[in-house]
Amino acid sequence: MTKKPIILGVESSCDETAVAVLQDGENGNAKILSNIVSSQFEVHKEFGGVVPELAARSHLEKIDLITKKALNESKIKISDIDAIAVTAGPGLIVCLSVGLNFAKGLASSINKPLIVVNHLEGHALSPKINSKLEYPYLLLLISGGHTQYLSVEGLGQYKRLGTTIDDALGEAYDKTAKLLGIDFPGGPKIEKLSEKGDPNKFKLPKPIINKGGCNLSFAGLKTAILRITKNIKNEQEKFDLAASFQKTIEEILYEKTKIAFGEYLKKNNDRNFVIAGGVAANKGIRNILNKLSKEYDFKTIFPELSLCSDNAAMIAMVGIEKYKLKLFDKLDFKPNPRWALDKDAKFLKGAGVKL
Ligand code: KG4
Ligand code: ZN
């Protein structure tokens, strides 16, 4: 029997230094042999967002060690790795450069192919690691830097149906958290606080809810929350604001996803709906999108919770699919900080990176 390909993935696009080793599996999924993620929360905590120079320095300091750890844990010898897959964009250029240069060095030293990966494609394929999922499918990508509805037609084939016109959803969570005096990244903490609050206490705006198709907007929420926080009197009101924010986000996603379903079905018959990216870990969002999908006869597919936020397993997963098609890259490939999944889609948003 021929050996199934084994890919080492490297991720360093923002504030996680991550390396994983995956082996191609049955049914188009993969076996995780190791998956190491080192987050830089402590480095950026006091700044309320990611500081690019500090992030790059931390990647440089850790990437060797994380790779050794990932190889040790996988029990795979470096000579048994078939290719090195690495994130080459989008993200912070100083951070991308660290991972990409490291991967180039590793690939050439073991004389194996280099495969560059779009970080967003990593999120898009993350549920494939553990579940059977065939193309095409509808994707809602919700992370710290991106919020998009995409029709995923095949590997590297994306059609954007809608996008945020200002802040990404993770960014909206993080900014709200900051206004409530909560450390970065605030998303998971807002979710926790919201469980103790009254979701009907504060009425928040739902920008462009009745226009713009399935495009989204979250910047107006921040302004409203800033105004309310100035008059907050006690802890309970903080919880109420977190709960009202969480409920408003759920309502926005409910309405916009309905529109996205309609857009998607204009050209497709299947009804698979993937929700991926860091914010896909949010239980309230998972519940509301499960409910809506049932009503519209869609099947929801989420990545494992540990694979929602940035990791290198998802990068190696794309690596496996590209490896099987012999889609290899040259060693002079440059990082691409604004690498869009749908290159024909109109540019509607800012820098496309976290905070
Ligand atoms: O995918 P990710 O790890 O990084 C990017 O590629 O951006 O997403 C990080 C974002 C952060 O904004 C974080 O606050 C948010 O995901 N996040 C959450 C939750 N867990 C992470 N937001 C809401 N609820 C959560 N449970
Ligand atoms: Zn990400």
Side-chain angles (χ1 to χ4, degrees), residues 108-120:
S108 65
S109 72
I110 60 172
N111 203 20
K112 294 285 165 66
L114 175 80
I115 298 173
V116 302
V117 174
N118 181 313
H119 176 86
L120 305 178

Side-chain angles (χ1 to χ4, degrees), residues 119 123 143-145 170 173-174 185 187-188 191 277-279 281-282 308-310 354:
H119 176 86
H123 281 300
S143 70
Y173 270 94
D174 294 336
E191 186 185 2
V279 190
N282 186 287
C308 284
S309 50
D310 289 349
K354 272 189 197 173

